[in-house]
């Protein structure tokens, strides 16, 4: 019996899990070709093998799939391979999360999805929370979260925190790489331009405004000091771009009750919910909850 082996060679740091099924499938296809057509033991047919292997390598690297039909003019011979990417389970979707597209709508077929997902996709604009999207589309919150989680699993969207004038953000170490990445700089200029009919903002102005974000500085403080509108910068779009690229992260406020239990005079806050989540789930504003907590001596605020 003719025995053969097929191996893929990877860099030592590569996660090869998604290739295991492809190797098994290709080995099975080659064995079938040998049994039915003596493809590997026949020298005339075997000479096609290096070209096939090269096509498999190039196609998998470029597109993640490979289709070879009518191998060496043999009847009913074909190889179909496709990489199935391994995905980590997406994080739990919260009512206060904001979904934002990380892929163009032209890259996927929205008509192939169920009606619920289609309605949700149409409502996503990068600034609406999950709870607001559910309300606008008249979809139950749990159903909307499940649909958004499926989009998250498919790498079509990403979840970012809500952007408000009272929000606080800080720079991350990636801001240094942003300074030397000209392609990312151009993307930032295009994305954050406020008026498309006017001169686009300069990278210097964008970088200066991003560097204003620090502990204790709210979005409204940055607007007052940086005056982004005069520089033709849409501050909310700039923050959104920075969140997607990991240039900024949000600082959240977590109320914590000191008395350890709920009383009739005040609500109990265990410290695991931030302002965004509390406001989103209860349909109240940041200002209202701040006014309420300012009067409650049994609650402290942890900012992190």
């Amino acid at each position: 019996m003719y025995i053969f082996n097929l191996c893929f060679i990877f860099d030592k740091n590569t996660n090869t899990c998604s290739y295991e099924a492809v190797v098994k499938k290709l080995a099975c296809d080659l064995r079938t070709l040998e049994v039915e057509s003596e493809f590997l033991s026949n020298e005339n047919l075997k000479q096609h093998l290096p070209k096939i292997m090269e096509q498999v390598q190039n196609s998998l690297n470029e597109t993640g799939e490979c289709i070879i039909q009518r191998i060496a003019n043999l009847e009913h011979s074909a190889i179909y391979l496709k990489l199935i990417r391994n995905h980590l389970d997406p994080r739990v979707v919260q009512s206060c999360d904001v979904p934002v597209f990380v892929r163009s709508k032209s890259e996927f077929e929205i008509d192939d999805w169920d009606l619920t997902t289609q309605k949700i996709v149409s409502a996503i604009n990068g600034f609406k929370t999950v709870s607001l999207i559910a309300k606008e589309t008249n979809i139950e919150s749990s159903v909307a979260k499940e649909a958004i989680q499926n989009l998250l699993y498919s790498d079509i969207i990403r979840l970012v925190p809500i952007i408000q004038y009272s929000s606080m953000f800080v720079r991350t170490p990636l801001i240094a790489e942003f300074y030397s990445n000209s392609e990312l700089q151009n993307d930032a200029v295009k994305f954050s331009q406020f008026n498309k009919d006017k001169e686009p903002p300069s990278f210097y102005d964008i970088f200066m405004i991003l560097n204003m974000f620090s502990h204790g500085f709210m979005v409204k403080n940055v607007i007052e000091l940086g005056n982004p509108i005069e520089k033709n910068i849409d501050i909310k779009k700039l923050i959104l771009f920075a969140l997607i690229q990991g240039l900024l992260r949000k600082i959240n406020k977590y109320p914590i009750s000191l008395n350890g239990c709920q009383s009739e005079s005040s609500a109990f806050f265990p410290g695991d919910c931030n302002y965004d989540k509390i406001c989103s789930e209860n349909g109240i504003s940041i200002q209202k909850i701040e006014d309420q907590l300012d009067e409650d001596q049994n609650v402290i605020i942890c900012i992190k």
Side-chain angles (χ1 to χ4, degrees), residues 185-207 209 227-234 238:
Q185 293 170 16
N186 292 332
D187 290 341
V189 169
K190 293 177 183 177
F191 192 87
S192 62
Q193 185 174 351
F194 182 75
N195 190 334
K196 303 299 181 182
D197 297 327
K198 293 183 178 181
E199 188 75 17
S202 67
F203 169 70
Y204 172 81
D205 289 334
I206 287 176
F207 194 72
I209 287 177
N227 206 350
I229 290 296
E230 278 195 3
K231 300 175 175 65
N232 200 20
I233 296 174
D234 188 325
L238 178 58

Side-chain angles (χ1 to χ4, degrees), residues 43-66:
E43 292 298 327
N44 291 329
L45 296 176
K46 186 179 177 180
Q47 64 183 353
H48 295 280
L49 186 58
K51 185 177 180 180
I52 291 173
M53 294 175 67
E54 182 180 1
Q55 185 175 345
V56 168
Q57 179 188 19
N58 293 337
S59 296
L60 291 179
N61 285 337
E62 292 172 5
T63 64
E65 59 182 42
C66 178

Side-chain angles (χ1 to χ4, degrees), residues 280-295:
S280 180
E281 292 182 349
N282 294 280
I284 58 177
S285 65
I286 292 284
Q287 187 62 52
K288 184 174 181 179
I289 191 173
E290 285 186 335
D291 292 342
Q292 291 176 353
L293 294 179
D294 284 344
E295 299 174 358

Side-chain angles (χ1 to χ4, degrees), residues 210-221:
L210 286 179
N211 276 279
M212 289 181 180
F213 288 100
S214 60
H215 284 278
F217 258 61
M218 293 182 286
V219 172
K220 62 181 180 182
N221 301 133

